[in-house]
Amino acid sequence: GQQVMQIPQYQHVQEGEDFTTYCNSSTTLSNIQWYKQRPGGHPVFLIQLVKSGEVKKQKRLTFQFGEAKKNSSLHITATQTTDVGTYFCAGPVVKTSYDKVIFGPGTSLSVIP
Amino acid sequence: DTGVSQNPRHKITKRGQNVTFRCDPISEHNRLYWYRQTLGQGPEFLTYFQNEAQLEKSRLLSDRFSAERPKGSFSTLEIQRTEQGDSAMYLCASSLFYSPNSGNTIYFGEGSWLTVV
């Protein structure tokens, strides 16, 4: 079945360093979403990308959707301790006229002050 | 509060007992999802509804799990004869779905933690 994979599983960075997580799907996605989950919290929607090659920015976060719409990345510039958490990508599974969203395993980010 | 609401937030139960979780989605949302999450893992799809219709149930779920959304509003997730392996956080989420290409932003509730002892 369709799978969404993410690397790395864990990343520890010094505060101020950059961070990137990569997401890959086994099939082409109509769109991709990114979520952040703080320790002890629930996933919170960050952004959605729809177009091939799309790049979106949110302050220090840059999201990119691959040309083939099978991969995506999230890059954080100059990490801060508030960036700590697990970042999930998620994409729809197309099945007949319905779809559901499946999540990757996430990348857990630790920021050392 | 107009977000997704779940209760109870925490439930400790003995093995073999039945438990039920309730989810109240964002009022105008037509899609409702149930996910399960264990420590260090991403949310695992369980089932979802379009209004009151249950569209799909994960093959990973045994017959001990059942979900309903009788009037297309709130939903319940029941686990019968709980086992220790059922211990997890059960997340409910909702969305306003138009079409696959329009995207489907999912809004999560805070989750219901289940501990089976």
Side-chain angles (χ1 to χ4, degrees), chain B residues 92-113:
Chain B
C92 177
S94 69
S95 69
L96 184 58
F97 176 76
Y98 295 105
S99 71
N101 290 330
S102 69
N104 190 25
T105 303
I106 294 176
Y107 297 87
F108 282 88
E110 295 185 341
S112 292
W113 285 96

Side-chain angles (χ1 to χ4, degrees), chain A residues 9 30-31 33 35 37 40-45 48 50 88 92 94-95 97-106, chain B residues 31 33 35 37 40-43 45 48 50 55-56 89 91 97 100-111 113:
Chain A
Q9 186 177 3
S30 59
N31 64 80
Q33 301 151 30
Y35 294 79
Q37 185 173 21
H42 60 282
V44 175
F45 172 77
Q48 176 178 270
V50 179
F88 296 100
V94 179
K95 181 178 179 181
S97 60
Y98 304 115
D99 69 339
K100 67 185 183 188
V101 176
I102 59 172
F103 284 74
Chain B
R31 284 264 177 110
Y33 299 78
Y35 287 85
Q37 188 177 28
Q41 301 296 317
F45 170 80
Y48 75 133
Q50 173 95 4
L55 298 184
E56 186 174 341
M89 179 166 67
L91 288 161
F97 176 76
N101 290 330
S102 69
N104 190 25
T105 303
I106 294 176
Y107 297 87
F108 282 88
E110 295 185 341
W113 285 96

Side-chain angles (χ1 to χ4, degrees), chain B residues 61-106:
Chain B
L61 285 186
S62 72
D63 292 340
R64 297 185 296 106
F65 288 74
S66 62
E68 294 182 345
R69 194 183 183 195
K71 298 182 179 179
S73 56
F74 75 92
S75 175
T76 57
L77 175 68
E78 182 183 19
I79 308 173
Q80 296 182 329
R81 303 180 303 282
T82 52
E83 302 173 356
Q84 287 186 323
D86 298 332
S87 296
M89 179 166 67
Y90 290 85
L91 288 161
C92 177
S94 69
S95 69
L96 184 58
F97 176 76
Y98 295 105
S99 71
N101 290 330
S102 69
N104 190 25
T105 303
I106 294 176

